Amino acid sequence: MGSLRNVGVVGLFGYTILFFTFIYLPIVLIVAYSFNSDPINMMNWSGFTFDWYRQIFGLKNTVSENALYIESTEQLLNALRNSLTVAAFTTTIATVLGTATALGLYRFNFLGKKFYRVLLFAPMLMPDIVLGIALLIFFVGADVSLGLKTIIIGQCSFLISYVFIVVSARLAGMDRSLENASADLGADEWTTFRRIILPQAMPGVIGGALLAFIISMDDLVITYFISGVDTQTLPIFIFGMLRRGIKPEINAIATLMLLFSFAVASLGLYFRSRRG
Amino acid sequence: MSTSTLRGRRRSQLGILLGPASAFLAIFFLCPLLIMLVYSFLEPGLYGGAEWAFYPDNYGRILGFANPEFEDYDPVYISIFLRSLKIALITVAATLLVCYPAAFQISRLPDRWKNFALFLITLPFFASLIVRLFIWVLILKKTGFANMVLAGLHIVSHPLELIYTEGAIIVGMVYVFIPFMFLPVYASVEKLDWSLVRASQDLGANGFQTFWRVIFPLTLPGVVGGSIIVFIPALGNFIVPAVLGGAKVMMLGNLIEQQFLGARNWPFGAALAMLVMAAVLAILFFYIRFEARRGDDAPVLR
């Protein structure tokens, strides 16, 4: 009986190792192969090179002229610029509106509050593709030309909910007695808000903003439908590359993107650990 | 006097806090969805767009009645819907199978390791979805990593067709949806009262009985929650089938995309999207019923 139990424990442990291998082996592979010099078969290791990285930044490299794979560095940088522009706007708008909504629901009671809360969850549960085409029909019907503006609006329509939820969770864990103490000591509402509520809510606001930023940078489906023909964001650029056939420098692009998102995520988790 | 101005001030504060977001969501979330609903009942225009006429045949083409003058009922649409449903359900089951045992192991680790494990599981969620899918193209394609390993171990002599299959789509979806399933399941497992498990064993239940009658019901809320948040994005997904299914395996999402960006039959595409939304709403309805019933049962259990 005891040995059977051990088999179970060892089995579960082995399973968990496999679980993490499944998650991380692909990531390790892509990073490793981004340094592979074989331009034809990406999985055939033929030597170490920085060429693909040089290639995406438009630097001189040993890849011969007729093997120029990337569409153009210009396009890539343009897509990156678009993504950052969109993310800057959506993060700001969604953070302000989402935080305001969370504060409103935290401080006030009103008729239909529960229903309102459910309504705020709806954009997160809506399948991407449904919201994407609904926005496309809407913008085309309203005669708005598709581009950065429509992408920003479209992304905000679901990012507000994400920020709202993160900030609400933070507010729910807050100590209400501090607020009462502040009022008892004669602070007016604005002072209490500025000196007590806002500082306590801040980690939630930062967390919500980071989440909004990451989701915005990564959004593909909704952006795909409402970006129009001329505007590409980074995920759409890569999606297009994949559909046209895979080229080796995409490994390098992917590695850089992984590095970037892991850095942002670690930053977020660092903030969270500090608040605890 | 002061109470009425106070109330007025509170009302204006509430308006300032909730007004902008409410207006934004009313215009750019609810309004587009309503327009899409209306659109799905309009007649497709000859050159894209829609004619302002009631036209239920968009649904007819999918569900079995159609206007024979223009287009026929084609069972291919319902079969694509059923295939999407099947792939989404298998994805849910596979993700659960992958996450459930790992959640048990991780819940029993010492705190430091536990936090590190949770960090490792959530980290990929922050990485670009398209990048994570692309990796699987490299792994599954004919000259890819999986075939290299299989050939190296002499398991296969010819490279297998791994990519552009339903299996590839399912693997890709499981990979990207792991954090969605893991976190709710883990939350349930973490809360599991092990004294009940020991009680069950003391009372003579065997391993299977203990699992099926005690452990599984107690972790069911996490299982159901995780299943729903995996099922919803899986059903209407078009990125994963586009990347890993190629043109060979079509799902509902790809069909909808075609109607909007290829065939330019927007009302038909809107009708298909309504189908996705109906399925999601049905699932959420059952979930709310499940939660409500659980709420009723809770005092009895206690």
Side-chain angles (χ1 to χ4, degrees):
Chain A
M1 195 64 192
S3 65
L4 202 70
R5 223 186 134 77
N6 281 341
V7 171
V9 169
V10 170
L12 203 57
F13 185 73
Y15 186 92
T16 308
I17 299 285
L18 273 180
F19 175 73
F20 281 108
T21 311
F22 177 61
I23 297 179
Y24 279 96
L25 181 67
I27 293 174
V28 171
L29 279 179
I30 202 168
V31 174
Y33 280 98
S34 70
F35 298 106
N36 181 13
S37 64
D38 191 325
I40 309 296
N41 184 353
M42 274 174 267
M43 283 286 158
N44 183 26
W45 186 264
S46 67
F48 184 90
T49 180
F50 277 118
D51 276 355
W52 309 120
Y53 290 91
R54 303 175 72 90
Q55 176 96 355
I56 55 179
F57 289 114
L59 299 173
K60 267 178 71 131
N61 57 56
T62 54
V63 186
S64 65
E65 274 299 312
N66 54 10
L68 277 181
Y69 287 94
I70 202 164
E71 333 287 291
S72 81
T73 310
E74 194 60 41
Q75 266 184 318
L76 173 69
L77 292 180
N78 201 23
L80 179 63
R81 210 161 29 234
N82 283 339
S83 275
L84 288 171
T85 311
V86 167
F89 276 101
T90 53
T91 304
T92 312
I93 298 170
T95 305
V96 171
L97 294 186
T99 304
T101 311
L103 286 170
L105 288 195
Y106 169 73
R107 289 191 51 89
F108 300 103
N109 280 313
F110 54 91
L111 197 70
K113 184 172 168 176
K114 257 194 181 145
F115 180 72
Y116 192 80
R117 197 181 282 277
V118 171
L119 216 60
L120 278 166
F121 272 89
M124 292 177 61
L125 291 170
M126 191 60 53
D128 294 355
I129 195 161
V130 175
L131 188 54
I133 66 161
L135 285 164
L136 174 66
I137 295 173
F138 175 79
F139 284 132
V140 170
D143 221 14
V144 181
S145 62
L146 301 177
L148 287 182
K149 206 169 38 185
T150 52
I151 300 176
I152 292 168
I153 293 173
Q155 290 191 354
C156 282
S157 70
F158 63 95
L159 288 176
I160 292 173
S161 296
Y162 281 92
V163 177
F164 163 76
I165 283 162
V166 175
V167 177
S168 288
R170 175 70 192 172
L171 290 174
M174 238 160 65
D175 190 355
R176 272 221 146 138
S177 61
L178 284 176
E179 250 176 273
N180 297 336
S182 163
D184 289 348
L185 292 169
D188 60 24
E189 259 185 84
W190 171 239
T191 311
T192 305
F193 173 74
R194 210 161 34 97
R195 309 275 303 257
I196 305 292
I197 300 180
L198 208 58
Q200 283 196 86
M202 219 47 204
V205 176
I206 293 174
L210 277 175
L211 188 66
F213 181 82
I214 286 175
I215 296 177
S216 169
M217 286 290 287
D218 189 31
D219 181 64
L220 178 52
V221 179
I222 289 161
T223 308
Y224 181 76
F225 284 103
I226 54 176
S227 60
V229 276
D230 310 321
T231 318
Q232 282 193 323
T233 59
L234 204 49
I236 290 185
F237 177 77
I238 295 176
F239 186 53
M241 269 181 103
L242 287 184
R243 282 192 151 179
R244 283 190 295 274
I246 297 158
K247 293 146 190 181
E249 63 270 19
I250 205 170
N251 280 331
I253 300 174
T255 303
L256 290 177
M257 285 176 72
L258 285 173
L259 209 66
F260 176 76
S261 26
F262 285 176
V264 175
S266 305
L267 194 74
L269 292 165
Y270 170 73
F271 270 113
R272 220 167 86 183
S273 69
R274 267 209 338 182
R275 112 169 80 133
Chain B
M1 170 226 111
S2 66
T3 49
S4 76
T5 51
L6 197 64
R7 195 176 296 156
R9 217 174 75 200
R10 289 175 74 85
R11 193 169 294 156
S12 70
Q13 278 180 348
L14 185 67
I16 291 168
L17 287 174
L18 296 189
S22 308
F24 189 97
L25 291 178
I27 298 172
F28 296 116
F29 179 72
L30 292 179
C31 193
L33 288 176
L34 284 176
I35 292 175
M36 187 186 79
L37 175 63
V38 173
Y39 224 86
S40 71
F41 286 103
L42 294 184
E43 191 178 328
L46 217 50
Y47 306 101
E51 304 288 331
W52 193 248
F54 179 67
Y55 191 79
D57 295 346
N58 294 319
Y59 290 96
R61 284 176 72 185
I62 310 165
L63 300 172
F65 57 93
N67 186 347
E69 266 182 63
F70 301 107
E71 50 226 341
D72 295 323
Y73 158 66
D74 192 337
V76 76
Y77 299 123
I78 202 80
S79 82
I80 290 176
F81 177 70
L82 291 177
R83 180 194 294 145
S84 305
L85 209 59
K86 182 185 81 181
I87 292 179
L89 287 174
I90 296 177
T91 301
V92 168
T95 318
L96 183 60
L97 220 59
V98 167
C99 292
Y100 198 82
F104 269 92
Q105 173 69 34
I106 289 164
S107 75
R108 283 162 35 162
L109 293 174
D111 272 351
R112 246 175 106 200
W113 285 102
K114 201 190 301 191
N115 290 334
F116 184 59
L118 290 176
F119 170 74
L120 284 182
I121 291 165
T122 34
L123 195 57
F125 169 74
F126 295 101
S128 165
L129 175 95
I130 190 75
V131 164
R132 281 182 293 152
L133 279 178
F134 155 68
I135 306 178
W136 283 95
V137 176
L138 291 190
I139 293 176
L140 295 177
K141 68 186 184 136
K142 214 159 187 177
T143 52
F145 186 76
N147 269 319
M148 253 167 57
V149 171
L150 290 175
L153 296 173
H154 299 289
I155 295 172
V156 295
S157 51
H158 300 288
L160 301 175
E161 290 287 351
L162 296 170
I163 199 171
Y164 309 134
T165 59
E166 283 186 14
I169 296 178
I170 291 166
V171 169
M173 289 222 217
V174 170
Y175 187 70
V176 292
F177 292 145
I178 279 181
F180 293 9
M181 178 66 88
F182 185 86
L183 294 176
V185 166
Y186 177 79
S188 271
V189 169
E190 173 90 299
K191 274 193 305 207
L192 181 67
D193 185 354
W194 284 93
S195 64
L196 291 175
V197 176
R198 272 191 298 276
S200 157
Q201 282 166 339
D202 289 347
L203 292 169
N206 63 30
F208 177 77
Q209 283 169 325
T210 303
F211 176 77
W212 191 240
R213 306 283 297 268
V214 179
I215 297 178
F216 190 71
L218 285 173
T219 52
L220 196 60
V223 171
V224 173
S227 299
I228 285 173
I229 36 181
V230 170
F231 179 82
I232 291 174
L235 181 67
N237 207 300
F238 97 93
I239 301 293
V240 181
V243 174
L244 291 171
K248 288 191 186 158
V249 187
M250 190 184 249
M251 282 178 70
L252 211 44
N254 310 82
L255 186 61
I256 295 173
E257 186 222 349
Q258 271 188 5
Q259 299 309 316
F260 276 87
L261 304 176
R264 301 199 68 77
N265 186 343
W266 287 19
F268 183 54
L272 289 164
M274 288 307 298
L275 211 61
V276 175
M277 207 158 101
V280 168
L281 287 179
I283 294 274
L284 287 178
F285 176 75
F286 282 116
Y287 178 64
I288 290 167
R289 292 253 325 244
F290 168 81
E291 280 288 305
R293 225 184 31 210
R294 203 161 60 85
D296 290 345
D297 283 353
V300 181
L301 278 175
R302 241 181 277 137

